[in-house]
């Protein structure tokens, strides 16, 4: 980790709850309305280098939870591992490589009892339970994200 300075964790002011869905498993829900642009979580990460991940991590349950990271993969320690996927996410995330953490920010106003979801990108490995699933034909024509496009997402910005 390059930065040795303390990092504030203001997210614990929020009223969030873990709820279970029969197919999606646990997910994060708002128990009060949350305004757009609110920081909903800051999750420190546990880093795995490429070798460690390809030899061990990818053969475990970790493979359902890890994010791509510089020089390997990262497990979000905190709510970051609990956000389910949506094709219409209401939470975005920004990898903070210097501090080894991921910041999650509401990209829409979120209502009480609404689930907070992020987008996992285009390579979904499970059957998405969302009602508005894309048809198989649409998915087939969706181009895979290149490494360069993925790195460009690191500078993802909220307007
Ligand atoms: C990062 S975990 C999210 C937390 C997980 N629900 C749990 O209980 O531990 C990713 C896993 O959640 C499930 N999941 C996430 N979003 C989903 C969705 N839209 N439809 C179905 N399953 C989903 C899949 O099993 C996926 O492998």
């Amino acid at each position: 980790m390059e930065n040795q300075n303390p990092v504030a964790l203001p997210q614990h002011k929020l009223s969030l709850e873990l709820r279970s869905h029969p197919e999606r498993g646990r997910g994060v829900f708002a128990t009060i309305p949350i305004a757009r642009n609110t920081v909903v979580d800051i999750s420190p990460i546990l880093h795995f280098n490429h070798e460690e991940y390809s030899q061990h991590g990818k053969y475990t349950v970790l493979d359902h939870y890890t994010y791509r990271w510089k020089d390997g993969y990262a497990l979000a320690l905190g709510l970051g591992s609990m956000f389910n996927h949506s094709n219409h996410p209401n939470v975005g995330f920004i990898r903070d490589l210097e501090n080894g953490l991921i910041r999650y920010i509401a990209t829409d106003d979120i209502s009480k009892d609404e689930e907070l979801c992020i987008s996992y990108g285009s390579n979904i490995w499970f059957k998405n339970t969302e009602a508005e699933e894309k048809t198989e034909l649409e998915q087939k024509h969706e181009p895979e994200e290149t490494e360069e496009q993925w790195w460009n997402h690191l500078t993802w910005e909220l307007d």
Side-chain angles (χ1 to χ4, degrees), residues 29-136:
F29 286 77
T31 60
I32 53 166
I34 295 174
R36 182 169 178 267
N37 285 346
T38 301
V39 176
V40 292
D41 198 58
I42 300 176
S43 300
I45 62 99
L46 188 63
H47 185 260
F48 299 87
N49 65 35
H50 278 298
E51 193 192 348
E52 193 175 17
Y53 198 76
S54 61
Q55 288 185 9
H56 305 288
K58 73 181 268 191
Y59 300 109
T60 73
V61 70
L62 283 178
D63 210 38
H64 294 243
Y65 290 83
T66 42
Y67 291 70
R68 277 199 271 177
W69 202 262
K70 189 167 183 268
D71 302 328
Y73 289 83
L75 177 69
L77 302 173
L79 284 183
S81 283
M82 288 294 111
F83 292 115
N84 284 325
H85 166 83
S86 169
N87 294 335
H88 307 285
N90 50 15
V91 172
F93 58 89
I94 302 171
R95 295 168 176 87
D96 179 341
L97 302 179
E98 190 189 3
N99 290 301
L101 45 87
I102 306 175
R103 293 173 208 278
Y104 298 86
I105 298 158
T107 53
D108 278 318
D109 288 336
I110 299 172
S111 314
K112 178 180 182 314
D113 292 325
E114 193 177 334
E115 182 169 7
L116 280 68
C117 289
I118 60 173
S119 168
Y120 295 0
S122 52
N123 299 320
I124 299 301
W125 60 93
F126 48 83
K127 186 174 179 301
N128 188 351
T129 60
E130 271 189 317
E132 290 172 46
E133 275 182 61
K134 288 186 182 171
T135 64
E136 273 183 32

Side-chain angles (χ1 to χ4, degrees), residues 134-144:
K134 288 186 182 171
T135 64
E136 273 183 32
L137 196 64
E138 279 176 314
Q139 281 176 353
K140 220 188 279 178
H141 291 290
E142 191 170 83
E144 289 236 333

